[in-house]
Amino acid sequence: MMSFSAAIRMAAIGAVALGLSACATNSPENAALGINDPYENSVNRSIHSFNKGFDRYALRPVSQGYDAVTPGLFRLLISNALNHLEAPRDFANHILTAEFESAGRTLLRFAVNTTVGAGGLLDPATDFELEKEDADFGKTLAVWGAGEGVYYEIPFLGPSTVRHTAGRVVDLALAPTSYLGEPLIAGGVAAVAAVEARDDNLGAIDSVLYDSPDSYIAVRSFYLDARRAFVTNGESQNLDDLEDF
Amino acid sequence: MATVTGASGAGETGARWRARARCGLGMMIGAALAAALWTAPAAAADVEAANALVEDTAAQILDLAASEASDLEKRQSFEALLNETADVARIARLTIGRPWRGLTDSQKADYQAALIPFAANRFVKSFGDFKGGSVRYKSSTTTKVRDEERVLVRTIGRRPASAEATDILWVVTELEGRPVFYDVRIENLSLVVQLKNEMSGYLSSVGGDFDKLVALLRESTA
């Protein structure tokens, strides 16, 4: 059975976000930047401060501790297992966006790693040139023509948009851990994934969060650029669109 | 063009014209072949130089990231490397875009001097996540945009203790006869586009005051 409380939590966040977006007015300055952030000063900056504190005093130290005390091989196995759990999500979203070749490779990768790769702890598929090809429902919504929606920060989860949040809710339903019937396990896996991701991107996140003139603007810019690059397969990052003066 | 004056004359002139035409055609084919033979090795050399630049720069960054130096020392070393291997003036222009035209020479110089330490810090820390892992050459292609040849060098980065491969694309061009890069895309995310959008955000937050933007950048890397 799916982790009901997790789904309810995400759905509630999504509903609040959608509700907020319905009555929001963006500032002309943000609109000129191509950003829909009407709650920057009223809510978002406060949540950002909270999230930054959470990172500084909890997530970052825990991820550094995790990195220091766990052997490399153990971390590699965990990383492989977490990637393996994302296969159903990747496969379903490749199908939904008509990326059938990617869907086929994802299925093959899943089969190889489940059998030869000890249930996903090892990753022999990569050696057979079956690299992981990420896809999520936020991207699917974008491909289907849904707009990005309002930008906001969610306590503990960080930056998001209405479209991305809605996508996360659906992706939760595609996660195998949602069907274990044990919320603690699903929550534990999500926590390990967050610690892993923070550890993998320690320098990049540190430079955005702690070495920028305004970390709110830096995080928002970084997040939107990364998401837009992901959903457009890099088209949003075309340098040729920048005029060279 | 030859003037036809009579039958024999016409035949003689026609034969001479045909001979000249054959000669001209032969010269054109010869020139085209020569050009092809001349440019092919040059293009190959450019790609090789671009590949060498990327491999060498990536190795130096990884060494730097893995070194025991302080963050400040790493940033300063990378600034020097960036000035040597990248088109920093172009990066500065691209990250400002249209407003660049309205800036004085002194503002442009100030901005470039403030941006490069900031960009170097972002760059070296992002690459630092690959320390203990690897960044290896995969392939390269050439492309031409607005009469400019560019070499796109694709490398694959692997973080330590992570099986996932990261696609890293370097955009290399030529500056004063040497290869230089001016953008790096990690998983499709362009460092230059990212910096441009970030700078636009800061500029907007200070009411479009360019000197305040420069002050903000200086403060963040002081």
Side-chain angles (χ1 to χ4, degrees):
Chain A
M1 195 183 137
M2 183 182 168
S3 169
F4 187 68
S5 60
I8 289 293
R9 193 170 62 246
M10 291 303 292
I13 290 166
V16 168
L18 284 165
L20 286 173
S21 67
C23 56
T25 309
N26 200 19
S27 71
E29 291 81 10
N30 282 336
L33 298 172
I35 293 167
N36 190 0
D37 184 9
Y39 298 103
E40 176 177 350
N41 294 314
S42 56
V43 185
N44 280 346
R45 280 190 178 268
S46 304
I47 297 175
H48 174 75
S49 297
F50 171 79
N51 283 341
K52 193 172 171 180
F54 173 69
D55 181 82
R56 187 191 298 274
Y57 299 111
L59 186 58
R60 189 179 188 279
V62 168
S63 75
Q64 283 194 301
Y66 170 78
D67 188 72
V69 300
T70 51
L73 178 62
F74 178 79
R75 293 206 310 275
L76 183 64
L77 297 177
I78 293 292
S79 169
N80 287 339
L82 290 170
N83 280 343
H84 197 59
L85 289 172
E86 289 175 353
R89 182 200 72 184
D90 294 342
F91 174 75
N93 285 296
H94 284 310
I95 292 285
L96 290 170
T97 51
E99 292 174 336
F100 299 116
E101 284 185 17
S102 295
R105 284 192 293 268
T106 299
L107 188 62
L108 199 54
R109 176 184 161 82
F110 182 75
V112 168
N113 283 350
T114 303
T115 52
V116 189
L121 286 174
L122 304 175
D123 181 16
T126 296
D127 295 330
F128 298 132
E129 301 209 336
L130 292 166
E131 299 274 1
K132 187 174 190 300
E133 296 177 56
D134 283 314
D136 64 30
F137 198 69
K139 182 177 181 178
T140 299
L141 288 172
V143 171
W144 288 354
E148 193 173 59
V150 167
Y151 169 86
Y152 46 83
E153 285 210 27
I154 304 172
F156 300 108
L157 295 179
S160 194
T161 60
V162 173
R163 187 175 65 198
H164 192 187
T165 305
R168 281 168 158 172
V169 176
V170 175
D171 289 333
L172 206 59
L174 295 169
T177 49
S178 299
Y179 298 90
L180 293 174
E182 183 48 74
L184 271 179
I185 296 178
V189 170
V192 171
V195 169
E196 264 278 328
R198 183 66 177 94
D199 184 40
D200 274 351
N201 299 285
L202 182 74
I205 294 175
D206 275 2
S207 74
V208 170
L209 212 45
Y210 302 112
D211 301 336
S212 302
D214 182 334
S215 65
Y216 178 79
I217 289 174
V219 166
R220 182 180 66 184
S221 184
F222 183 79
Y223 165 80
L224 289 174
D225 275 335
R227 258 327 272 181
R228 289 170 183 177
F230 176 63
V231 301
T232 62
N233 293 327
E235 283 301 309
S236 68
Q237 303 285 294
N238 193 355
L239 264 182
D240 301 335
D241 292 343
L242 299 180
E243 288 179 68
D244 187 4
F245 296 90
Chain B
M1 192 177 163
T3 309
V4 180
T5 52
S8 66
E12 195 184 330
T13 310
R16 209 178 296 150
W17 185 86
R18 279 194 296 277
R20 267 191 215 155
R22 272 199 301 275
C23 178
L25 189 65
M27 283 173 72
M28 278 163 63
I29 292 169
L33 276 171
L37 289 170
W38 178 259
T39 53
D46 289 343
V47 172
E48 276 177 27
N51 293 344
L53 171 86
V54 167
E55 285 185 281
D56 189 45
T57 307
Q60 287 194 60
I61 299 170
L62 287 184
D63 285 349
L64 194 59
S67 75
E68 295 297 318
S70 68
D71 279 355
L72 179 64
E73 286 168 334
K74 285 180 186 176
R75 194 195 78 202
Q76 286 169 341
S77 299
F78 185 66
E79 264 182 69
L81 183 64
L82 204 57
N83 280 312
E84 205 179 289
T85 57
D87 187 348
V88 290
R90 186 176 196 166
I91 292 172
R93 283 199 307 275
L94 287 171
T95 55
I96 288 299
R98 192 170 295 277
W100 185 261
R101 284 178 176 167
L103 302 179
T104 64
D105 287 346
S106 150
Q107 282 178 314
K108 288 174 183 173
D110 285 349
Y111 174 69
Q112 187 174 315
L115 175 75
I116 295 311
F118 181 82
N121 183 57
R122 175 71 50 85
F123 202 99
V124 82
K125 283 201 169 173
S126 298
F127 258 82
D129 292 329
F130 294 94
K131 83 178 168 193
S134 62
V135 176
R136 293 211 170 91
Y137 169 81
K138 188 182 181 193
S139 62
S140 46
T141 51
T142 53
T143 178
K144 196 170 189 179
V145 180
R146 295 188 205 102
D147 294 331
E148 184 191 55
E149 290 277 356
R150 295 174 189 172
V151 185
L152 307 177
V153 183
R154 176 156 274 119
T155 54
I156 297 293
R158 290 195 188 275
R159 293 176 167 87
S162 173
E164 217 166 329
T166 303
D167 195 50
I168 307 171
L169 184 78
W170 306 66
V171 185
V172 181
T173 186
E174 208 172 76
L175 179 71
E176 294 163 0
R178 66 191 168 94
V180 284
F181 73 91
Y182 69 92
D183 193 25
V184 178
R185 288 175 168 208
I186 301 179
E187 289 290 313
N188 282 333
L189 184 59
S190 156
L191 182 76
V192 168
V193 175
Q194 191 192 322
L195 282 172
K196 182 188 187 300
N197 290 336
E198 198 174 335
M199 292 306 127
S200 301
Y202 298 142
L203 196 56
S204 173
S205 74
V206 293
D209 188 327
F210 196 80
D211 296 327
K212 282 186 181 167
L213 168 69
V214 171
L216 276 181
L217 291 176
R218 280 187 182 143
E219 209 177 295
S220 72
T221 52

